[in-house]
Amino acid sequence: MPPMTEAAARQALLRFVASRCCYGSRAAGELAIQRLRPQGTYRYRLETFSESRLSEWAFEPFTKAGVARPPGDAPLDPWDVEVGAPPLFQGQTRRCRVPRSALVRDCHRCHGRGRSQCGVCHGAGRTRCVTCKGSRRRLKQQKRCQLCSGTGRKRCNTCSGRGSKTCATCHGEKKLQHFKQLVITWKNNVFEFVSEHHLNFPGELLSKVSGENIFKDENVVVYPIVGFPEPEISLASQRAIAEHSAAFATSSRILRQRQTVELIPITEVHYQYSGKPYLYYVYGLENKVYVQDYPERCCCGCTIV
């Protein structure tokens, strides 16, 4: 990878300072860079694209003529249902019916009547008058309530006085079609490891930047990396593949695996300002900056990562 230049290091710091409300830009423009110390660390990533299937019973109002599943015509096994997978390494959840699993039954909510008792009037068709509160007279005038004609009750607005309403479960169709619903989940499971860099630098920042891809292996099943110059990467590859195999091989299907190794550049920038030594880091292909102690700060409210 091309080495970091003084101009690029200064420009990266200027961008960083401009994004912080209490950092002054004068120091970034006038500092004297003494030394650029290139570093680097490796990031290993294993992606396992898996598919899991779960069947559950669902139902809907039965609106068209038909019959229940013929005797002996067993529904398909969930893994025998053909469903097109989404693009590789992109998670998604999809639901579909299992063929030959439909069963027609009377609605369990209304017992096949198509209507259910009104929950407001409890089947009476009338409710207490809201004006006189059932007293039949207006409390202040002591006159007969005109809204309910002195009866103390009025027609239920919810069921229009019928005492029942259309069943919310079968929508008045009286029957329900029960069927097995297949829930298919595609998930991209990621294992990530960053090798030790021995710098006074928060390692979690490296997961937010890009690196130079120096190794890529993609197949239905990948094998551990052997003989990598950094032994930690080989060990991480062995551990990741073993963990994913144990986690997903039994409960789901592994459709594809991909492992990559990236070299993340880190440049240690030593500089002086007003006769004092300072240090900051430029990391990632995006040239992000991490500052340990910036010489020109007007307050202490900014986060320095």
Side-chain angles (χ1 to χ4, degrees):
M1 298 179 62
M4 175 69 62
T5 64
E6 290 190 11
R10 189 184 302 274
Q11 186 62 34
L13 182 61
L14 286 169
R15 286 197 307 268
F16 170 81
V17 168
S19 66
R20 297 296 189 273
C21 62
C22 60
Y23 280 55
S25 59
R26 185 179 64 180
E30 297 178 357
L31 59 82
I33 295 179
Q34 303 295 310
R35 181 163 64 100
L36 298 175
R37 184 186 174 198
Q39 300 288 324
T41 188
Y42 294 106
R43 178 170 60 206
Y44 170 82
R45 181 183 287 125
L46 172 66
E47 298 171 87
T48 298
F49 187 54
S50 64
E51 175 184 340
S52 61
R53 296 191 175 194
L54 172 69
S55 63
E56 58 187 16
W57 282 103
F59 61 83
E60 65 182 6
F62 183 66
T63 59
K64 53 187 177 181
V67 294
R69 186 182 75 237
D73 192 7
L76 292 178
D77 182 89
W79 286 104
D80 292 335
V81 180
E82 295 186 6
V83 180
L88 291 175
F89 306 106
Q90 294 185 21
Q92 189 180 117
T93 298
R94 196 181 305 169
R95 288 174 169 81
C96 64
R97 298 189 184 194
V98 176
R100 305 198 300 268
S101 66
L103 297 169
V104 179
R105 295 288 186 268
D106 286 342
C107 177
H108 57 271
R109 184 71 176 271
C110 65
H111 304 289
R113 292 189 293 266
R115 300 187 66 82
S116 58
Q117 186 183 78
C118 177
V120 176
C121 67
H122 303 290
R126 300 177 68 81
T127 58
R128 189 175 66 167
C129 177
V130 295
T131 301
C132 67
K133 295 181 173 55
S135 66
R136 304 182 182 183
R137 295 179 179 274
R138 297 195 177 187
L139 299 180
K140 292 183 178 180
Q141 293 89 352
Q142 292 297 317
K143 295 182 180 180
R144 189 177 69 168
C145 178
Q146 296 178 352
L147 185 65
C148 64
S149 300
T151 62
R153 302 181 70 80
K154 66 179 186 67
R155 188 176 67 171
C156 177
N157 293 327
T158 303
C159 64
S160 300
R162 299 183 62 177
S164 64
K165 58 182 180 177
T166 301
C167 177
T169 301
C170 68
H171 299 172
E173 299 294 337
K174 301 182 181 181
K175 291 183 179 294
L176 295 174
Q177 181 172 252
H178 299 258
F179 57 91
K180 278 190 176 182
Q181 182 173 248
L182 188 61
V183 182
I184 311 172
T185 303
W186 292 275
K187 186 177 180 181
N188 191 35
N189 308 275
V190 180
F191 176 98
E192 188 173 286
F193 170 80
V194 177
S195 62
E196 189 71 30
H197 49 74
H198 304 292
L199 297 173
N200 189 14
F201 183 93
E204 61 270 15
L205 297 181
L206 298 177
S207 63
K208 304 176 183 178
V209 295
S210 304
E212 186 73 22
N213 199 317
I214 61 175
F215 176 80
K216 179 180 178 180
D217 178 24
E218 180 179 326
N219 212 320
V220 176
V221 176
V222 297
Y223 294 93
I225 298 174
V226 178
F228 195 81
E230 177 59 59
E232 283 185 314
I233 297 299
S234 297
L235 293 175
S237 175
Q238 295 175 18
R239 185 171 74 252
I241 293 174
E243 288 181 4
H244 278 200
S245 178
F248 310 120
T250 55
S251 60
S252 58
R253 287 181 176 177
I254 295 178
L255 303 182
R256 197 78 174 175
Q257 286 188 316
R258 177 172 63 192
Q259 59 181 344
T260 56
V261 179
E262 296 173 273
L263 175 60
I264 303 176
I266 304 175
T267 301
E268 199 175 61
V269 183
H270 296 261
Y271 68 96
Q272 280 193 349
Y273 182 74
S274 297
K276 296 182 179 180
Y278 294 94
L279 170 69
Y280 69 91
Y281 294 93
V282 182
Y283 62 98
L285 297 181
E286 299 86 352
N287 283 351
K288 295 287 186 178
V289 169
Y290 171 70
V291 178
Q292 292 179 307
D293 185 19
Y294 187 69
E296 188 182 358
R297 296 181 60 181
C298 58
C299 68
C300 298
C302 285
T303 304
I304 62 173
V305 293

